[in-house]
Amino acid sequence: MKGFQSSLRDALGIRDSLENSARMVERLTSVIDVRSAALDAALAERDEARDRTISGLAAAATLIALPPTLLLAFFGVNGSNVDEKRSILDLGTYGVAYPPAWLPFVILVVIGCPPLRRADGGSGELLAPPDDGPVPVPAPRTTSGS
């Protein structure tokens, strides 16, 4: 019976087919691993560029805001003619001061948006397909039992 089963397996080429399938699975696994590593590297590069851009914008905003903050603190502490009936939100009195105070931050946002978009990837596609068309698929191997 065992001899019959063995000769039947050899005749049908089951062993060769299983070996072929195992080789195909190994190739597919290696291709998936390579593509996964490339995707991870592209994601890490994109995230690093975005983080650098955001850090630069935060540093610029801090440099813009620090001098006016120090001046306001100095004059606020040393001010003697403070009117208790007026608020800093009184746009009739202080409305002229708001646009110049906000202008550097608006400029920073306008200047910072394009680098931030570039750092995010722009097109959204991290791994582009190869330029020379689809990836070639090797021809199937012939079984040695045939």
Side-chain angles (χ1 to χ4, degrees):
M1 186 61 144
K2 286 186 179 183
F4 174 73
Q5 288 177 346
S6 174
S7 65
L8 185 60
R9 274 187 297 222
D10 290 341
L12 294 176
I14 292 175
R15 182 168 290 138
D16 292 334
S17 297
L18 288 175
E19 288 174 6
N20 264 348
S21 296
R23 279 194 299 272
M24 288 171 35
V25 167
E26 287 174 9
R27 285 185 196 158
L28 184 60
T29 302
S30 66
V31 167
I32 289 172
D33 289 342
V34 167
R35 294 295 282 182
S36 177
L39 183 61
D40 288 343
L43 284 171
E45 183 179 328
R46 184 192 70 182
D47 291 345
E48 184 179 328
R50 186 184 63 225
D51 290 346
R52 277 194 314 262
T53 303
I54 290 173
S55 296
L57 291 174
T62 302
L63 288 175
I64 290 171
L66 189 61
T69 303
L70 292 174
L71 287 172
L72 285 173
F74 176 76
F75 288 116
V77 168
N78 295 323
S80 60
N81 59 351
V82 177
D83 187 3
E84 296 175 3
K85 296 177 184 170
R86 289 192 179 159
S87 168
I88 194 169
L89 300 175
D90 184 10
L91 293 180
T93 305
Y94 303 113
V96 178
Y98 281 97
W102 280 100
L103 185 64
F105 297 105
V106 171
I107 291 172
L108 182 66
V109 168
V110 169
I111 290 173
C113 281
L116 200 55
R117 283 194 183 139
R118 237 180 291 125
D120 278 340
S123 67
E125 189 170 329
L126 291 174
L127 296 176
D131 294 337
D132 27 332
V135 177
V137 177
R141 295 183 179 186
T142 59
T143 58
S144 59
S146 301

